[in-house]
Each structure stands twice: as structure tokens, then as C-alpha cells.
Amino acid sequence: MATQNHGIWTLSAAALAGFALGGATSAFAKQQQRREDARLRSEQLERDEVVERRRARAHQQRMHWALLVKAIDDPSLAVVINTYGADVPLEKLRQYFYANAWYVNLFHLEQSGVVDQEQLYGHLRDLFQSPVFREYWEATRNHRIALKHSSDEARLGRLADRLYEELEEADTDEWWVVGDPPTF
């Protein structure tokens, strides 16, 4: 009888060990699943945040354009955002606002990934062919200096400033080949 009981006890111990191991394996699998679920939730939150930032950026761009259009169309509103100086004639002011709209559009295109650095550089080269845009660029130098140095807007301003200087110093009429776009 003792042998038989011993055999049953051994079987029971083995069964218990198996159950314990199975339980530990199951707990480990559940823990792994919880970690994976948390990772997936975190990734989804990050994607949602990117989508929301893009949506906010698009909204801001529409608002910027709507406000500029009002200022361009109505001289009494244009003076509200005239940061260029009282001596800038209204027609020139309206041109500066329009130049600003083009520049801000490029900024948003770059920020949203629609254009890369090389394309951005090409668009800036084109804009700098306009005498009015160059005047606007000079008139806004202090605006760019006031930006937080580490901001994307300041980075783009420095890139455009370098290109502007290269174009001004170039000894060629082939403006489309002046400057090399930096890589970031």
C-alpha cells in the first residue's frame, strides 16, 4: 500500500509541478500579451497625435490665409498687422502679405512632408527671383531674428537666408544652379 500511495504522491507532485509550470507559462503569456497591447495602444496614440498635429497645422494654414486675404482686400485691416513700418505704402504692404503667404505655404509644405529639402530649395530659388519677394525678405529680417533659434520656422529662415545671400553674391545669371540644398 505504501508503494501505491508513494506512486500516487509522485504522480500528484508531477501533476502539481506541471500545473505550476503551465500556470507560470500562462501568466508569462498573459503578461507578454498585456505588454504587446500596451505597445499597440501607445503606437496608436502616437499616430493619432501625428494626425491631430497635421489637422491643426492645416487649420492654422487656412486661418493664416483667410486673415491675410482680409488684410490684402481691406486697407483698414492691413494696417493692423503692418509690422514692416509706417512708411511702407499700402500697395507694397499688400504685396508683402502675399509674399508672406507664399513663404508660409512653403513652410507648411515642408513641415507636412509634401516637399523635401531639395524641392523646398528650388521653390525658394524661384521666389527669390521676384524683386518684391526679395524686398519682403529684407523687410522681415528682424522677424526671423526674433524666432526661437531651435524652431522649425527659424531653421527654414536660416536656410532661406543662406540661399538669399548666395544668390545675391552669385556671379552667374543661371540662378537655378546657385547653392546646394543642405541635408538634415
Side-chain angles (χ1 to χ4, degrees), residues 3-142:
T3 306
Q4 202 173 12
N5 284 343
H6 185 278
I8 289 173
W9 179 252
T10 303
L11 179 62
S12 294
L16 286 174
F19 287 134
L21 182 60
T25 303
S26 176
F28 180 74
K30 287 179 183 177
Q31 184 180 27
Q32 288 294 94
Q33 185 61 46
R34 283 192 300 271
R35 284 184 184 147
E36 178 65 12
D37 290 346
R39 185 187 65 76
L40 291 173
R41 277 192 307 275
S42 176
E43 287 177 0
Q44 183 60 47
L45 288 172
E46 287 174 14
R47 283 191 300 271
D48 291 348
E49 186 178 325
V50 167
V51 166
E52 187 54 37
R53 275 195 310 266
R54 284 182 180 158
R55 187 176 295 132
R57 190 177 294 132
H59 175 73
Q60 190 281 328
Q61 187 177 12
R62 285 189 301 275
M63 288 300 299
H64 178 259
W65 177 246
L67 291 168
L68 276 179
V69 165
K70 287 179 183 280
I72 290 170
D73 290 344
D74 186 342
S76 68
L77 298 178
V79 297
V80 172
I81 60 172
N82 178 4
T83 57
Y84 307 104
D87 59 333
V88 176
L90 182 60
E91 191 61 29
K92 181 65 66 181
L93 186 62
R94 293 171 73 194
Q95 291 172 339
Y96 285 0
F97 291 161
Y98 192 67
N100 175 262
W102 275 99
Y103 179 70
V104 170
N105 182 60
L106 275 181
F107 173 74
H108 287 293
L109 287 172
E110 191 261 345
Q111 288 292 292
S112 61
V114 174
V115 299
D116 61 19
Q117 290 293 314
E118 189 173 341
Q119 293 167 314
L120 176 70
Y121 219 62
H123 289 300
L124 285 168
R125 275 189 195 113
D126 289 343
L127 286 174
F128 282 131
Q129 297 316 298
S130 163
V132 173
F133 192 86
R134 288 194 306 273
E135 287 176 32
Y136 157 78
W137 198 251
E138 287 293 335
T140 57
R141 184 169 302 281
N142 289 335

Side-chain angles (χ1 to χ4, degrees), residues 158-170:
R158 288 189 302 273
L159 179 142
D161 281 339
R162 281 191 302 275
L163 175 60
Y164 177 71
E165 289 170 13
E166 289 173 354
L167 286 165
E168 288 293 305
E169 295 170 1

